Amino acid sequence: DMDLIDVMPIFNWALGWDSDFSFVGETADVAVGELGYYRDGSDTIIVGNIGAKLFEIELRDFTGTIDASTFLL
């Protein structure tokens, strides 16, 4: 079993209301409210847009599958 990444608190804290990210797949270019990922060598970088800022979560040495089921959205 794979652990899930819970990103809901990040979005809710940043914007001040209860909302969800939309997973857009493999891309580093995400719009407000979107969550994606890209590869950087053997690392996977999760990227999200909360309006005024982008955030990234680095998964070192992870090249496995990433899809919407990876996250609690």
Side-chain angles (χ1 to χ4, degrees):
D1 286 331
M2 186 167 134
D3 292 330
L4 298 178
I5 301 170
D6 187 358
V7 294
M8 289 186 300
I10 297 169
F11 196 84
N12 296 339
W13 170 82
L15 297 181
W17 71 80
D18 195 19
S19 190
D20 298 326
F21 282 103
S22 296
F23 181 72
V24 295
E26 190 166 0
T27 181
D29 186 24
V30 291
V32 175
E34 292 182 340
L35 186 70
Y37 73 96
Y38 62 94
R39 308 289 183 175
D40 184 13
S42 64
D43 301 332
T44 299
I45 312 298
I46 308 299
V47 61
N49 188 327
I50 52 176
K53 301 233 182 228
L54 293 176
F55 70 87
E56 293 186 341
I57 301 169
E58 181 178 356
L59 305 177
R60 299 203 68 179
D61 297 322
F62 180 81
T63 57
T65 302
I66 299 284
D67 59 27
S69 68
T70 306
F71 304 96
L72 294 174
L73 299 171

